[in-house]
Amino acid sequence: MTENHTLTVRDNRTGEEYELPITDGTIRAGDLGKIGKTEDEPGLAVYDPGFTNTASTRSSVTFIDGDKGILEYRGYPIEQLAEKSTFLEVAYLLIHGELPTKEQHDQWVHEITFHTFVHENVKSLMQGFRYDAHPMGMLLSSVGALSTFYPEARNISDPTVRHEQVVRMIAKMPTLGAWSFRHAQGKPYVYPDNDLSYTENFLSMLFKMSEPKYDPDPRLAKALDVLLILHADHEQNCSTNAVRSVGSSQVDPYSAVSAGIAALYGPLHGGANEAVLKMLKRIGSKENIPAFIEGVKNGDEKLMGFGHRVYKNYDPRATIIKKACDDVFEVTGVNPLLEIAQELEKIALEDEYFVKRKLYPNVDFYSGLIYEALQFPPEMFTVLFAIGRTPGWLAQWSELVDDKEQKIARPKQIYTGDRRLEFVPAAERWANES
Ligand code: CMC
């Protein structure tokens, strides 16, 4: 909703008053820059480390209302998409802005399915990694390397070229992710099976051994599909901001997305579900929960998988994941850590410390349990996140490329260093050293 109001600012340094337009609940940083600007002095700027209160773009991809626990992709509630859609349909929705017709859907699925193979030299490149290479390091390097296989991808102003790279990246991500997993296990890489659906093929490339054809359990494939949908976009998070920032230099999308993968690699972003798993294992049994909770309340440590910067009511993705847990455990048997997680959640949700601070389970509280039940080692959790987030990164990148208001990302700084020092050549400086 657009409301046009103004903000009157009085600069007490000069006594001057300025009227700044307010649009969509924001003022323009450029308007602030006119305040106090002289020939010698720059105008007023905003200091906002971490961009906690700065809008960097207009976007129509994802809507979040953190207080109400709402997440929508292109206006569709996440609950409905997770229950009734598929990851590839959601990917189409994110990229194109609307749901596909039957013909568009079939064409899209066909295109993605037939771009799952990668050049053999990509395989050789991946095989060159150390035996114990982290799969996220392998994924980000191999996605970056794809830019050298498709040099035309640089032509980002051509919609046909852009579309082709979007399809390639969504298609090849599971191949690269699965191969980075096989690599660490010393197992041969498995080629894509284009008879299978997106997630079935991913499971095949991950787990196929000597059988001529891998036969994925549809319930596991469905659960994985739901997990990918839940991770598909989350507006201007750290990795999406990295994709946009790097993409603003007009580099090719492989390089921009590899920057996003690098951002996701960090423990503050993609690594929390692994920490939840470690925490549950350390707690070990239900009897130890009260002592653990006391430790959290005393500030000794955090209850991992609880709390969120944006969601202050509940994380809608956590509710859906809880349901997916039941479906997966029906096939794999219950993960014994589930009992601890459920009891922990029950106690925490009744405890004043958590209630007062609006701390609820987030997407990571249960996802690690599912991933473990699906036999993924913890290092793979973030790779799964990256595969799911790829359509979101690409939708946000496409939006950026089309956005006439966007410029190369170049924040200001507040300089705190020395000025105008006199340079003494090294030989003179060192001659005086004792
Ligand atoms: N356990 C215990 N106390 C907590 C927790 C927690 N998990 N999270 C926040 N608090 C407390 C915090 O100590 C502070 O208390 P006080 O007011 O007494 O100082 C208060 O709640 C507000 O916390 P905050 O750190 O100001 O909140 P934030 O918005 O900066 O941090 C967060 C959000 C997600 C980083 C944080 O809640 C956290 O570290 N949670 C655990 C890690 C985690 O699960 N991360 C996954 C996030 S979801 C994945 C994604 O969407 O990318």
mmCIF file of all heavy atoms in Angstrom, residues 234 269 272 296 302-309 312 317 353-354 357 359 362-364, ligand 1:
data_model
loop_
_atom_site.group_PDB
_atom_site.id
_atom_site.type_symbol
_atom_site.label_atom_id
_atom_site.label_comp_id
_atom_site.label_asym_id
_atom_site.label_seq_id
_atom_site.Cartn_x
_atom_site.Cartn_y
_atom_site.Cartn_z
ATOM 1 N N HIS A 234 13.398 -16.385 0.914
ATOM 2 C CA HIS A 234 13.120 -15.781 2.219
ATOM 3 C C HIS A 234 13.481 -14.308 2.192
ATOM 4 O O HIS A 234 14.191 -13.807 3.061
ATOM 5 C CB HIS A 234 13.867 -16.524 3.338
ATOM 6 C CG HIS A 234 13.101 -16.552 4.611
ATOM 7 N ND1 HIS A 234 13.636 -16.252 5.833
ATOM 8 C CD2 HIS A 234 11.795 -16.840 4.846
ATOM 9 C CE1 HIS A 234 12.707 -16.346 6.759
ATOM 10 N NE2 HIS A 234 11.579 -16.711 6.184
ATOM 11 N N HIS A 269 24.152 -18.382 9.103
ATOM 12 C CA HIS A 269 23.092 -18.408 8.098
ATOM 13 C C HIS A 269 22.585 -19.837 7.890
ATOM 14 O O HIS A 269 21.517 -20.199 8.363
ATOM 15 C CB HIS A 269 23.639 -17.795 6.807
ATOM 16 C CG HIS A 269 22.608 -17.489 5.765
ATOM 17 N ND1 HIS A 269 21.265 -17.688 5.944
ATOM 18 C CD2 HIS A 269 22.743 -16.982 4.510
ATOM 19 C CE1 HIS A 269 20.618 -17.315 4.864
ATOM 20 N NE2 HIS A 269 21.489 -16.896 3.967
ATOM 21 N N ALA A 272 22.528 -23.560 11.241
ATOM 22 C CA ALA A 272 21.896 -23.722 12.558
ATOM 23 C C ALA A 272 21.310 -25.120 12.779
ATOM 24 O O ALA A 272 21.323 -25.632 13.900
ATOM 25 C CB ALA A 272 20.817 -22.670 12.753
ATOM 26 N N VAL A 296 20.333 -22.310 29.686
ATOM 27 C CA VAL A 296 19.971 -21.337 28.636
ATOM 28 C C VAL A 296 19.490 -20.045 29.300
ATOM 29 O O VAL A 296 19.896 -18.942 28.925
ATOM 30 C CB VAL A 296 18.874 -21.916 27.701
ATOM 31 C CG1 VAL A 296 18.330 -20.842 26.772
ATOM 32 C CG2 VAL A 296 19.426 -23.088 26.895
ATOM 33 N N LYS A 302 22.650 -20.927 23.999
ATOM 34 C CA LYS A 302 21.360 -20.664 23.369
ATOM 35 C C LYS A 302 20.624 -21.965 23.111
ATOM 36 O O LYS A 302 21.252 -23.011 22.945
ATOM 37 C CB LYS A 302 21.573 -19.963 22.034
ATOM 38 C CG LYS A 302 21.736 -18.476 22.180
ATOM 39 C CD LYS A 302 21.774 -17.811 20.832
ATOM 40 C CE LYS A 302 21.669 -16.310 20.988
ATOM 41 N NZ LYS A 302 21.891 -15.615 19.724
ATOM 42 N N LEU A 303 19.312 -21.882 23.089
ATOM 43 C CA LEU A 303 18.516 -23.022 22.641
ATOM 44 C C LEU A 303 18.485 -22.932 21.120
ATOM 45 O O LEU A 303 17.750 -22.112 20.542
ATOM 46 C CB LEU A 303 17.107 -22.935 23.243
ATOM 47 C CG LEU A 303 16.056 -23.915 22.715
ATOM 48 C CD1 LEU A 303 16.563 -25.349 22.720
ATOM 49 C CD2 LEU A 303 14.790 -23.824 23.574
ATOM 50 N N MET A 304 19.349 -23.719 20.469
ATOM 51 C CA MET A 304 19.475 -23.609 19.007
ATOM 52 C C MET A 304 18.177 -24.055 18.332
ATOM 53 O O MET A 304 17.498 -24.955 18.813
ATOM 54 C CB MET A 304 20.652 -24.451 18.503
ATOM 55 C CG MET A 304 21.996 -23.977 19.016
ATOM 56 S SD MET A 304 22.280 -22.217 18.764
ATOM 57 C CE MET A 304 22.598 -22.153 17.014
ATOM 58 N N GLY A 305 17.847 -23.393 17.213
ATOM 59 C CA GLY A 305 16.602 -23.721 16.529
ATOM 60 C C GLY A 305 15.416 -22.954 17.092
ATOM 61 O O GLY A 305 14.281 -23.174 16.692
ATOM 62 N N PHE A 306 15.685 -22.054 18.040
ATOM 63 C CA PHE A 306 14.644 -21.199 18.605
ATOM 64 C C PHE A 306 14.985 -19.736 18.316
ATOM 65 O O PHE A 306 16.147 -19.357 18.304
ATOM 66 C CB PHE A 306 14.545 -21.391 20.128
ATOM 67 C CG PHE A 306 13.404 -22.273 20.540
ATOM 68 C CD1 PHE A 306 13.383 -23.602 20.145
ATOM 69 C CD2 PHE A 306 12.359 -21.786 21.320
ATOM 70 C CE1 PHE A 306 12.329 -24.430 20.521
ATOM 71 C CE2 PHE A 306 11.309 -22.602 21.697
ATOM 72 C CZ PHE A 306 11.289 -23.926 21.294
ATOM 73 N N GLY A 307 13.949 -18.933 18.087
ATOM 74 C CA GLY A 307 14.155 -17.498 17.868
ATOM 75 C C GLY A 307 14.416 -17.185 16.404
ATOM 76 O O GLY A 307 14.862 -18.037 15.640
ATOM 77 N N HIS A 308 14.064 -15.970 16.019
ATOM 78 C CA HIS A 308 14.282 -15.540 14.636
ATOM 79 C C HIS A 308 14.296 -14.024 14.593
ATOM 80 O O HIS A 308 13.560 -13.380 15.332
ATOM 81 C CB HIS A 308 13.164 -16.079 13.727
ATOM 82 C CG HIS A 308 13.521 -16.064 12.276
ATOM 83 N ND1 HIS A 308 13.359 -14.942 11.500
ATOM 84 C CD2 HIS A 308 14.071 -17.008 11.483
ATOM 85 C CE1 HIS A 308 13.777 -15.213 10.271
ATOM 86 N NE2 HIS A 308 14.221 -16.456 10.228
ATOM 87 N N ARG A 309 15.133 -13.471 13.720
ATOM 88 C CA ARG A 309 15.207 -12.012 13.581
ATOM 89 C C ARG A 309 13.868 -11.436 13.112
ATOM 90 O O ARG A 309 13.454 -10.360 13.548
ATOM 91 C CB ARG A 309 16.326 -11.662 12.604
ATOM 92 C CG ARG A 309 16.391 -10.205 12.162
ATOM 93 C CD ARG A 309 16.635 -9.221 13.303
ATOM 94 N NE ARG A 309 17.885 -9.392 13.973
ATOM 95 C CZ ARG A 309 19.072 -8.958 13.525
ATOM 96 N NH1 ARG A 309 19.158 -8.343 12.386
ATOM 97 N NH2 ARG A 309 20.157 -9.147 14.241
ATOM 98 N N LYS A 312 8.375 -13.244 15.089
ATOM 99 C CA LYS A 312 8.282 -13.053 16.532
ATOM 100 C C LYS A 312 7.004 -13.681 17.076
ATOM 101 O O LYS A 312 6.610 -13.448 18.212
ATOM 102 C CB LYS A 312 8.323 -11.554 16.874
ATOM 103 C CG LYS A 312 9.631 -10.873 16.469
ATOM 104 C CD LYS A 312 10.856 -11.445 17.202
ATOM 105 C CE LYS A 312 12.139 -10.793 16.742
ATOM 106 N NZ LYS A 312 13.357 -11.536 17.095
ATOM 107 N N ARG A 317 7.320 -22.099 8.697
ATOM 108 C CA ARG A 317 8.018 -23.242 8.101
ATOM 109 C C ARG A 317 8.219 -24.359 9.119
ATOM 110 O O ARG A 317 8.236 -25.543 8.777
ATOM 111 C CB ARG A 317 9.365 -22.778 7.535
ATOM 112 C CG ARG A 317 9.224 -21.699 6.487
ATOM 113 C CD ARG A 317 10.553 -21.062 6.159
ATOM 114 N NE ARG A 317 11.184 -20.437 7.323
ATOM 115 C CZ ARG A 317 12.396 -19.924 7.323
ATOM 116 N NH1 ARG A 317 13.123 -19.946 6.241
ATOM 117 N NH2 ARG A 317 12.894 -19.371 8.419
ATOM 118 N N TYR A 353 10.682 -17.271 30.300
ATOM 119 C CA TYR A 353 11.858 -16.697 29.607
ATOM 120 C C TYR A 353 11.628 -16.659 28.095
ATOM 121 O O TYR A 353 11.851 -15.639 27.444
ATOM 122 C CB TYR A 353 13.102 -17.546 29.926
ATOM 123 C CG TYR A 353 14.347 -17.131 29.141
ATOM 124 C CD1 TYR A 353 15.276 -16.254 29.699
ATOM 125 C CD2 TYR A 353 14.584 -17.604 27.847
ATOM 126 C CE1 TYR A 353 16.411 -15.860 28.980
ATOM 127 C CE2 TYR A 353 15.702 -17.216 27.124
ATOM 128 C CZ TYR A 353 16.610 -16.351 27.698
ATOM 129 O OH TYR A 353 17.715 -15.967 26.982
ATOM 130 N N PHE A 354 11.140 -17.768 27.546
ATOM 131 C CA PHE A 354 10.970 -17.872 26.090
ATOM 132 C C PHE A 354 9.717 -17.117 25.630
ATOM 133 O O PHE A 354 9.718 -16.479 24.595
ATOM 134 C CB PHE A 354 10.914 -19.346 25.665
ATOM 135 C CG PHE A 354 12.195 -20.077 25.976
ATOM 136 C CD1 PHE A 354 12.360 -20.750 27.188
ATOM 137 C CD2 PHE A 354 13.259 -20.063 25.091
ATOM 138 C CE1 PHE A 354 13.548 -21.398 27.490
ATOM 139 C CE2 PHE A 354 14.454 -20.704 25.384
ATOM 140 C CZ PHE A 354 14.595 -21.366 26.591
ATOM 141 N N ARG A 357 10.306 -13.335 25.523
ATOM 142 C CA ARG A 357 11.182 -12.906 24.415
ATOM 143 C C ARG A 357 10.663 -13.336 23.044
ATOM 144 O O ARG A 357 11.341 -13.189 22.045
ATOM 145 C CB ARG A 357 12.587 -13.474 24.633
ATOM 146 C CG ARG A 357 13.303 -12.827 25.800
ATOM 147 C CD ARG A 357 14.605 -13.541 26.130
ATOM 148 N NE ARG A 357 15.304 -12.892 27.222
ATOM 149 C CZ ARG A 357 14.968 -12.968 28.504
ATOM 150 N NH1 ARG A 357 13.897 -13.663 28.860
ATOM 151 N NH2 ARG A 357 15.659 -12.339 29.444
ATOM 152 N N LEU A 359 10.251 -16.297 21.729
ATOM 153 C CA LEU A 359 11.144 -17.291 21.115
ATOM 154 C C LEU A 359 10.360 -18.567 20.822
ATOM 155 O O LEU A 359 9.825 -19.203 21.729
ATOM 156 C CB LEU A 359 12.316 -17.603 22.053
ATOM 157 C CG LEU A 359 13.204 -16.401 22.423
ATOM 158 C CD1 LEU A 359 14.202 -16.782 23.515
ATOM 159 C CD2 LEU A 359 13.924 -15.892 21.193
ATOM 160 N N ASN A 362 12.185 -22.374 15.112
ATOM 161 C CA ASN A 362 12.310 -21.896 13.732
ATOM 162 C C ASN A 362 12.504 -23.091 12.798
ATOM 163 O O ASN A 362 12.493 -24.250 13.233
ATOM 164 C CB ASN A 362 13.445 -20.863 13.618
ATOM 165 C CG ASN A 362 14.791 -21.437 14.028
ATOM 166 O OD1 ASN A 362 15.154 -22.522 13.599
ATOM 167 N ND2 ASN A 362 15.525 -20.703 14.848
ATOM 168 N N VAL A 363 12.689 -22.804 11.512
ATOM 169 C CA VAL A 363 12.750 -23.848 10.482
ATOM 170 C C VAL A 363 13.818 -24.907 10.796
ATOM 171 O O VAL A 363 13.689 -26.070 10.410
ATOM 172 C CB VAL A 363 12.993 -23.202 9.094
ATOM 173 C CG1 VAL A 363 14.387 -22.607 8.985
ATOM 174 C CG2 VAL A 363 12.739 -24.156 7.948
ATOM 175 N N ASP A 364 14.848 -24.496 11.526
ATOM 176 C CA ASP A 364 15.968 -25.411 11.753
ATOM 177 C C ASP A 364 15.758 -26.363 12.924
ATOM 178 O O ASP A 364 16.543 -27.288 13.111
ATOM 179 C CB ASP A 364 17.257 -24.607 11.992
ATOM 180 C CG ASP A 364 17.729 -23.958 10.706
ATOM 181 O OD1 ASP A 364 17.601 -24.604 9.655
ATOM 182 O OD2 ASP A 364 18.203 -22.811 10.750
HETATM 183 N N1 CMC B 1 17.986 -19.229 23.056
HETATM 184 C C1 CMC B 1 17.972 -18.463 24.160
HETATM 185 N N2 CMC B 1 17.799 -17.125 24.183
HETATM 186 C C2 CMC B 1 17.630 -16.545 22.997
HETATM 187 C C3 CMC B 1 17.613 -17.262 21.785
HETATM 188 C C4 CMC B 1 17.808 -18.657 21.854
HETATM 189 N N3 CMC B 1 17.793 -19.396 20.748
HETATM 190 N N4 CMC B 1 17.421 -16.416 20.744
HETATM 191 C C5 CMC B 1 17.318 -15.201 21.280
HETATM 192 N N5 CMC B 1 17.438 -15.272 22.641
HETATM 193 C C6 CMC B 1 17.307 -14.174 23.590
HETATM 194 C C7 CMC B 1 18.527 -13.247 23.522
HETATM 195 O O1 CMC B 1 19.538 -13.669 24.414
HETATM 196 C C8 CMC B 1 17.911 -11.934 23.913
HETATM 197 O O2 CMC B 1 17.696 -11.967 25.289
HETATM 198 P P1 CMC B 1 17.886 -10.606 26.171
HETATM 199 O O3 CMC B 1 16.827 -9.667 25.665
HETATM 200 O O4 CMC B 1 17.688 -11.033 27.587
HETATM 201 O O5 CMC B 1 19.268 -10.118 25.878
HETATM 202 C C9 CMC B 1 16.531 -11.972 23.252
HETATM 203 O O6 CMC B 1 16.197 -13.380 23.184
HETATM 204 C C10 CMC B 1 16.473 -11.354 21.860
HETATM 205 O O7 CMC B 1 17.425 -12.008 21.026
HETATM 206 P P2 CMC B 1 18.310 -11.326 19.913
HETATM 207 O O8 CMC B 1 19.643 -12.007 19.878
HETATM 208 O O9 CMC B 1 18.296 -9.833 20.078
HETATM 209 O O10 CMC B 1 17.490 -11.672 18.600
HETATM 210 P P3 CMC B 1 18.021 -11.569 17.105
HETATM 211 O O11 CMC B 1 16.848 -11.236 16.285
HETATM 212 O O12 CMC B 1 19.213 -10.693 16.999
HETATM 213 O O13 CMC B 1 18.533 -13.069 16.817
HETATM 214 C C11 CMC B 1 18.610 -15.305 16.108
HETATM 215 C C12 CMC B 1 17.825 -13.985 16.072
HETATM 216 C C13 CMC B 1 17.932 -16.301 15.147
HETATM 217 C C14 CMC B 1 20.057 -15.060 15.624
HETATM 218 C C15 CMC B 1 18.613 -15.855 17.535
HETATM 219 O O14 CMC B 1 17.294 -16.058 17.983
HETATM 220 C C16 CMC B 1 19.438 -17.108 17.659
HETATM 221 O O15 CMC B 1 20.666 -17.049 17.794
HETATM 222 N N6 CMC B 1 18.775 -18.338 17.619
HETATM 223 C C17 CMC B 1 19.497 -19.580 17.660
HETATM 224 C C18 CMC B 1 20.146 -19.868 16.302
HETATM 225 C C19 CMC B 1 19.136 -20.330 15.269
HETATM 226 O O16 CMC B 1 18.304 -21.171 15.531
HETATM 227 N N7 CMC B 1 19.261 -19.780 14.055
HETATM 228 C C20 CMC B 1 18.400 -20.155 12.926
HETATM 229 C C21 CMC B 1 17.607 -19.006 12.400
HETATM 230 S S1 CMC B 1 16.333 -19.548 11.254
HETATM 231 C C22 CMC B 1 17.186 -19.831 9.758
HETATM 232 C C23 CMC B 1 16.950 -18.771 8.720
HETATM 233 O O17 CMC B 1 15.805 -18.346 8.520
HETATM 234 O O18 CMC B 1 17.937 -18.348 8.034
#
